Amino acid sequence: LIDALRCGLWRAVLPVLEAGETHEGDAVRVLDADARTLGSLEAGEIDVARISGAWRVLADLHELGISHGHLDATTVVVRDDGSPALTDFGAAQVAASAGALKTDRAQLLVTTALAADTDRALDGAAAVIGDSGLAEILPFLQPAVFDLDTRKAIRAEEWDLENLRTLTAERTHVEIPPLEPIRRIVTP
């Protein structure tokens, strides 16, 4: 994380103002409140530039070998100045595997597709990771990659993961590859 600070990535992570523990032993963090979650924004407020900004933040994180581990509509935020940031690094990994990085990418693609639409999500992603980067995450666009709330949100959409895989493959001019074998492990 020292490298992240040296590279200026700290600007894309909301600062913790206060941290503590409740009487019941629950952890409490108070974050800088000058941001709104992606899920709280109206679809019209989320343009390709804003989505590309979120992808740049993730690319910077990945360049340092760090995966976020839990990107969704609550952990991708937009500050009042319009800049994107990430919150909740509780599932982050340092020296992350290629699979963990691709899982992050799949989560961000779906998160932005849910918040805006599939076209803007794909355009925003391609602007940063290119079509080849999009093609690499095709095997990770599957239910096991997403938390329960995201899976429920996908079911409520006009599109599903198979549609998104098809759109992504068409955009990147590749055959749809088989899904990556992924097991979801849920801890109590």
Side-chain angles (χ1 to χ4, degrees):
L1 292 177
I2 301 277
D3 286 339
L5 296 173
R6 280 192 199 125
C7 295
L9 189 58
W10 59 269
R11 286 182 287 251
V13 176
L14 290 183
V16 175
L17 298 178
E18 186 77 36
E21 190 174 316
T22 67
H23 294 295
E24 293 81 27
D26 295 324
V28 177
R29 291 180 303 165
V30 178
L31 300 174
D32 191 356
D34 70 340
R36 294 172 40 201
T37 64
L38 201 59
S40 71
L41 298 174
E42 295 295 324
E45 295 178 86
I46 306 169
D47 59 10
V48 172
R50 188 162 277 167
I51 292 170
S52 295
W55 277 96
R56 277 189 291 285
V57 170
L58 185 63
D60 289 345
L61 193 67
H62 285 180
E63 190 172 309
L64 297 170
I66 302 169
S67 69
H68 184 277
H70 184 93
L71 292 168
D72 66 15
T74 65
T75 60
V76 179
V77 299
V78 177
R79 293 175 183 238
D80 287 345
D81 68 2
S83 63
L86 303 176
T87 65
D88 189 0
F89 282 79
Q93 295 177 17
V94 177
S97 68
L101 301 178
K102 290 174 187 174
T103 295
D104 272 1
R105 288 178 170 191
Q107 289 174 349
L108 185 56
L109 180 62
V110 168
T111 296
T112 55
L114 289 168
D117 60 47
T118 55
D119 289 336
R120 282 182 278 172
L122 287 167
D123 289 345
V128 177
I129 65 171
D131 284 349
S132 62
L134 277 171
E136 288 178 358
I137 64 173
L138 278 166
F140 292 83
L141 290 173
Q142 58 179 292
V145 167
F146 306 101
D147 66 13
L148 180 61
D149 289 336
T150 302
R151 291 193 311 268
K152 285 180 182 177
I154 292 167
R155 284 193 291 272
E157 287 295 319
E158 295 175 6
W159 54 270
D160 61 18
L161 289 174
E162 194 56 40
N163 298 126
L164 186 57
R165 283 171 47 84
T166 300
L167 289 169
T168 305
E170 288 171 356
R171 178 190 179 93
T172 59
H173 308 289
V174 299
E175 299 271 332
I176 298 176
L179 294 175
E180 183 73 18
I182 295 177
R183 297 172 96 195
R184 187 179 244 324
I185 299 172
V186 180
T187 56

